C-alpha cells in the first residue's frame, strides 16, 4: 500500500515511518509532510492508498484537509493525542485512529484493517468531525451504528435501549426498528453514556428519557416508552436513583 504521512511534528513522522518500515512491510511510504497544505497537494498528485493523518495541526487540521479533498478514495488512519470523549467515537466507528505515542501492536492492527476497508463514508466522517469538535454537554445527536450490512445513522434520542447479545449489541429505536451492532455493550456504553444512557444491568443500557416507571416487586424493573420491561441489577439501583434524581 502506497502511504503518505501527515503530521506537523517531525519527530512523530520519523518514528512512524521507522515503525512502518520495521513492522508493516506491505506499506510503502511515498511521502512525509509536516505542513498540511503540502500534504494536501501530495494526496492529489501521488494518489496514495493510505494516509496517516494527524488531526491537530496549525492552519488546517485533519478534518479541514479532508474537506478540501472532496471524494475520498483512500483509507485513513487518524493520529491524535486527544484521548477523551472524541476518541470513543473513533473506537466505535469503522474508521481507525492511533494515539500518540503510536503503539506498534495498534499500528499493525490498523494497517491490516485499512487493507480490508479502504472506503470512507462521508456522512460517517462528518459525524466523527462533530464528535471531535464538540465537548461538554454539546454532543452531537446522531451516531453511526455499524452492522453486518454497513452503517445506520441514528438519532441518539430515538434509541430506547441497547441489549447485549454475546459480542454484539442490539439497539432498539422508537420507530420499532432494531439493529444488531458489531460492538460489545461496553463499547456502546462508552459512546452513549454522555447522552444520558445508563447501564442498569449487565445486559441492558437504557436511555433515561425513555424510562416511564420504576416498578418494585420481587426485584426492580423499569418500564420503557415502548412497553419493554427491563430488570435493574441490585448494585445499579442507587446509581440509577442518583442519576435520575428520584426521591
Amino acid at each position: 500500500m502506497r502511504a503518505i504521512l501527515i503530521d506537523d511534528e517531525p519527530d512523530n513522522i520519523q518514528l512512524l515511518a521507522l515503525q512502518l518500515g520495521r513492522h508493516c512491510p506491505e506499506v510503502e511510504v511515498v511521502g512525509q509532510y509536516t505542513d498540511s497544505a503540502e500534504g494536501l497537494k501530495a494526496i492529489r498528485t501521488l494518489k496514495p492508498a493510505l494516509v496517516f493523518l494527524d488531526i491537530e495541526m496549525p492552519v488546517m487540521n485533519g478534518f479541514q484537509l479532508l474537506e478540501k479533498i472532496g471524494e475520498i478514495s483512500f483509507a485513513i488512519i487518524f493520529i491524535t493525542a486527544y484521548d477523551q470523549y472524541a476518541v470513543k467515537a473513533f473506537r466505535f466507528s469503522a474508521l481507525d485512529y492511533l494515539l500518540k505515542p503510536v503503539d506498534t501492536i495498534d499500528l499493525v492492527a490498523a494497517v491490516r484493517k485499512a487493507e480490508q476497508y479502504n472506503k470512507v463514508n462521508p456522512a460517517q466522517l462528518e459525524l466523527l468531525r462533530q464528535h471531535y469538535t464538540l465537548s461538554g454537554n454539546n454532543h452531537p445527536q446522531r451516531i453511526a451504528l455499524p452492522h453486518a450490512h454497513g452503517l445506520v445513522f441514528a438519532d441518539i434520542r430515538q434509541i430506547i435501549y441497547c441489549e447485549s447479545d454475546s459480542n454484539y449489541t442490539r439497539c432498539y429505536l422508537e420507530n420499532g426498528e432494531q439493529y444488531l451492532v458489531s460492538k460489545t455493550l461496553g463499547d456502546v456504553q462508552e459512546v452513549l453514556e454522555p447522552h444520558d444512557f445508563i447501564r442498569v444491568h449487565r445486559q441492558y443500557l437504557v436511555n433515561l428519557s425513555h424510562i416511564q416507571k420504576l416498578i418494585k416487586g420481587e426485584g426492580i424493573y423499569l418500564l420503557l416508552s415502548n412497553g419493554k420491561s427491563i430488570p435493574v441489577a441490585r448494585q445499579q439501583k442507587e446509581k440509577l436513583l442518583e442519576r435520575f434524581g428520584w426521591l
Side-chain angles (χ1 to χ4, degrees):
M1 297 180 74
R2 289 162 49 85
I4 284 177
L5 319 183
I6 306 174
D7 190 323
D8 65 306
E9 300 178 44
D11 289 346
N12 287 337
I13 272 203
Q14 292 172 14
L15 178 59
L16 180 57
L18 184 64
Q19 288 173 296
L20 287 167
R22 287 181 177 175
H23 305 287
C24 302
E26 68 273 33
V27 175
E28 177 191 3
V29 177
V30 296
Q32 304 176 36
Y33 304 91
T34 57
D35 180 273
S36 52
E38 290 298 317
L40 173 61
K41 191 183 302 182
I43 289 174
R44 288 171 170 163
T45 56
L46 297 177
K47 302 188 183 307
L50 173 61
V51 173
F52 290 85
L53 181 60
D54 186 17
I55 297 176
E56 298 140 324
M57 295 184 289
V59 183
M60 181 168 53
N61 67 33
F63 288 114
Q64 292 168 333
L65 182 152
L66 292 175
E67 286 175 3
K68 294 182 180 296
I69 290 291
E71 184 176 350
I72 298 172
S73 58
F74 48 85
I76 303 169
I77 297 177
F78 289 99
I79 306 171
T80 178
Y82 191 79
D83 189 14
Q84 295 184 32
Y85 173 75
V87 172
K88 296 176 183 177
F90 281 90
R91 184 182 296 119
F92 192 80
S93 74
L95 297 182
D96 220 333
Y97 75 99
L98 295 170
L99 285 176
K100 299 178 184 179
V102 174
D103 178 82
T104 299
I105 295 176
D106 291 341
L107 174 62
V108 172
V111 168
R112 287 177 180 169
K113 186 174 175 182
E115 287 180 302
Q116 297 174 356
Y117 305 100
N118 58 2
K119 290 186 178 180
V120 175
N121 187 312
Q124 185 185 20
L125 190 62
E126 172 59 19
L127 281 180
L128 285 174
R129 186 193 66 76
Q130 291 178 27
H131 277 286
Y132 189 85
T133 303
L134 300 177
S135 60
N137 295 322
N138 198 21
H139 295 309
Q141 292 302 315
R142 297 182 72 221
I143 189 172
L145 300 177
H147 61 96
H149 304 292
L151 291 168
V152 171
F153 296 93
D155 187 326
I156 292 174
R157 294 164 296 188
Q158 293 181 1
I159 300 175
I160 300 174
Y161 72 100
C162 303
E163 181 180 9
S164 174
D165 189 346
S166 187
N167 289 325
Y168 295 83
T169 299
R170 198 172 296 277
C171 298
Y172 296 83
L173 277 60
E174 274 184 330
N175 59 7
E177 293 179 351
Q178 54 178 276
Y179 296 98
L180 186 64
V181 177
S182 53
K183 298 289 179 180
T184 67
L185 188 58
D187 291 332
V188 177
Q189 179 182 353
E190 274 196 309
V191 176
L192 293 183
E193 268 189 332
H195 298 271
D196 286 333
F197 280 71
I198 186 170
R199 185 82 169 260
V200 297
H201 188 277
R202 63 180 178 79
Q203 196 170 350
Y204 296 103
L205 178 74
V206 302
N207 186 338
L208 290 177
S209 64
H210 283 280
I211 297 176
Q212 293 190 334
K213 293 180 181 179
L214 184 146
I215 302 170
K216 294 182 180 180
E218 293 183 4
I220 299 176
Y221 292 84
L222 298 175
L223 183 64
L224 304 182
S225 60
N226 64 346
K228 174 70 175 180
S229 179
I230 297 287
V232 176
R234 193 179 313 166
Q235 61 270 30
Q236 293 298 99
K237 174 187 172 184
E238 294 303 322
K239 181 179 176 182
L240 174 64
L241 297 181
E242 178 184 343
R243 184 80 176 270
F244 218 116
W246 284 332
L247 297 177

